[in-house]
């Protein structure tokens, strides 16, 4: 018989566990604020809780409890007479503003959410909780439910707000004439790049269900220099560009799938063309330290075949596809870095 020596539990660590669960409860409140468009309502000025309840057709006392929890965490601000105001943190939940987190919150808290309660399934079977729960893979799910897919696309566009400035400030796109953004979604990154490189042309490449929205979102001033292309990066990608970008693509896929995508890039690239993988990188020296990439990896574990990688893991798939790793460029956020590769 095995005798297990149990360690005493220190109360402060029981409390730390309680605090971690608090993150979940708070996220539930963030979801409600997003669903009820609280940030949009407060954008026109502070509101009493009774007015907010009337506007959202809610139960005043219950809504107050949610708003109190949120303002306690710095999201919105409560003044003495149960009046709430928008602040910078709460403003990140507004609808249809650049950089909004609202749609991504709804993605994580709706279709992704049950997967986070089913991680043991992933761990014990090596399979994907999202598929266990929904009966199909994530991309197939978004094709079957276009409205949910559209919200996911807006979520990606909004979250790009975290890094676009860092990408533009830390990488010189001016030398490139033709730029293809592979899996470019609604195109916000290519729009930003083109607005900073007056002589470049851009192509947003993605699947048909996404591109039908993307094409309508090309800003008037870029219509001459920005176009779209439809296809799967498992078949081919547009040929002949001098720069290819892939933001939040490689982390969605297993090593073998990534090598297939990267080989298709290799085949489309002229000699000397560059490819930028823009993804989170788990630092080698982060043992026992928190890092956003380690948490984002749990999204991959719950929903996709992919994973977050260390730089050596990226180098391995890059080399397997025949490309050369050039350099790692930090852009000022843990959520992303630029890995520059080249076809020699
Ligand atoms: C995580 S999103 C990233 C979108 C965008 N690059 C960004 O950073 O906001 C992944 C993108 O890959 C696209 N995608 C998925 N499978 C694809 C495929 N087989 N071929 C082309 N694009 C694909 C999705 O439609 C989606 O736009």
């Amino acid at each position: 018989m095995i005798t297990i020596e149990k360690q005493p539990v220190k109360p402060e660590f029981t409390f730390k566990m309680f605090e971690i669960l608090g993150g979940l409860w708070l996220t539930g409140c963030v979801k409600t604020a997003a669903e009820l468009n609280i940030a949009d309502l407060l954008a026109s000025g502070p509101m009493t809780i009774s007015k907010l309840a009337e506007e959202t057709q809610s139960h005043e006392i219950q809504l107050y409890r949610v708003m109190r929890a949120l303002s306690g965490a710095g999201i919105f601000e409560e003044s003495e007479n149960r009046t709430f105001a928008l602040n910078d943190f709460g403003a990140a939940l507004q609808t249809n503003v650049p950089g909004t987190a609202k749609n991504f919150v709804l993605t994580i808290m709706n279709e992704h959410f049950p997967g986070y309660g089913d991680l043991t399934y992933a761990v014990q079977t090596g399979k994907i909780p999202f598929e266990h729960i929904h009966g199909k893979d994530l991309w197939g799910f978004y094709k079957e439910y276009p409205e949910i897919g559209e919200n996911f696309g807006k979520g990606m566009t909004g979250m790009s707000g975290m890094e676009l400035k860092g990408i533009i400030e830390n990488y010189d796109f001016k030398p490139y004439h033709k730029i293809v953004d592979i899996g470019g979604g609604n195109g916000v990154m290519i729009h930003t790049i083109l607005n900073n490189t007056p002589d470049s042309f851009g192509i947003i490449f993605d699947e048909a269900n996404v591109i039908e929205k993307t094409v309508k979102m090309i800003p008037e001033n870029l219509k001459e220099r920005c176009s779209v292309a439809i296809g799967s990066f498992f078949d081919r990608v547009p040929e002949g560009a001098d720069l290819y970008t892939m933001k939040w693509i490689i982390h969605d896929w297993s090593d073998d799938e990534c090598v297939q995508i990267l080989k298709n890039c290799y085949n489309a690239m002229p000699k000397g063309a560059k490819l930028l993988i823009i993804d989170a990188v788990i630092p080698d020296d982060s043992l026992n330290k928190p890092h956003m990439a380690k948490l984002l990896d749990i999204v991959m574990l719950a929903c996709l075949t992919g994973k977050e990688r260390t730089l050596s893991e990226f180098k391995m798939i890059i080399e397997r596809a025949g490309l050369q790793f050039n350099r790692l460029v930090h852009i000022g956020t843990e959520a992303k870095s630029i890995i520059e590769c080249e076809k020699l």
Side-chain angles (χ1 to χ4, degrees), residues 82-109:
R82 292 189 168 220
T83 296
F84 289 90
L86 195 63
N87 57 7
D88 287 343
F89 204 170
L93 288 176
Q94 292 171 104
T95 309
N96 284 339
V97 291
T100 180
K102 174 183 170 177
N103 305 90
F104 193 58
V105 164
L106 295 175
T107 293
I108 295 291
M109 293 302 287

Side-chain angles (χ1 to χ4, degrees), residues 125-292:
T125 65
K127 294 183 190 167
I128 304 165
F130 187 95
E131 295 179 14
H132 186 217
I133 290 152
H134 295 291
K136 54 181 60 64
D137 74 36
L138 183 96
W139 309 113
F141 181 87
Y142 288 144
K143 282 174 196 152
E144 186 164 337
Y145 302 102
E147 271 183 27
I148 303 179
E150 191 177 351
N151 179 68
F152 171 81
K154 286 183 181 171
M156 293 295 104
T157 300
M159 295 314 279
S160 294
M162 293 190 290
E163 68 249 1
L164 290 176
K165 190 165 173 279
I167 291 172
I168 291 297
E169 285 178 358
N170 290 285
Y171 194 87
D172 184 10
F173 290 91
K174 291 204 177 68
Y176 302 100
H177 183 65
K178 182 174 167 187
I179 304 169
V180 176
D181 190 21
I182 301 171
N186 292 152
V188 67
M189 183 168 77
I190 254 313
H191 303 160
T192 309
I193 293 173
L194 294 180
N195 276 325
N196 285 276
T197 55
D199 299 324
S200 310
F201 290 79
I203 299 173
I204 305 155
F205 176 75
D206 210 301
E207 295 198 291
N209 61 311
V210 173
I211 290 294
E212 70 184 41
K213 313 270 174 351
T214 304
V215 75
K216 296 181 193 141
M217 291 181 187
I218 300 176
E220 208 50 52
N221 70 317
L222 295 178
K223 288 239 155 84
E224 300 283 300
R225 294 194 289 127
C226 186
S227 59
V228 296
I230 291 174
S232 167
F233 43 52
F234 287 109
D235 300 331
R236 52 165 282 281
V237 303
E239 288 178 357
D242 46 2
L243 183 69
Y244 290 81
T245 53
M246 283 197 290
K247 181 160 77 68
W248 263 5
I249 301 300
I250 286 300
H251 77 162
D252 290 339
W253 304 97
S254 70
D255 285 357
D256 287 346
E257 289 166 326
C258 288
V259 171
Q260 199 185 335
I261 298 168
L262 292 171
K263 276 187 178 160
N264 284 339
C265 295
Y266 179 94
N267 291 335
M269 291 163 77
K271 276 195 176 151
K274 305 256 174 62
L275 167 71
L276 308 183
I277 296 173
I278 307 175
D279 255 324
V281 178
I282 302 174
D284 284 326
D285 59 357
S286 69
L287 204 68
N288 295 319
K289 292 190 197 133
H291 193 279
M292 197 57 208

Side-chain angles (χ1 to χ4, degrees), residues 299-313:
V299 180
M300 304 304 131
L301 182 67
C303 299
L304 288 155
T305 53
K307 59 181 180 182
E308 302 304 330
R309 294 177 168 85
T310 61
L311 188 57
S312 350
E313 288 170 332

Side-chain angles (χ1 to χ4, degrees), residues 42 45-54 60 63 81-84:
L42 295 181
M47 263 186 210
T48 60
I49 192 66
S50 52
K51 182 72 179 150
L52 259 186
E54 186 190 319
E60 182 179 326
L63 180 62
N81 53 350
R82 292 189 168 220
T83 296
F84 289 90

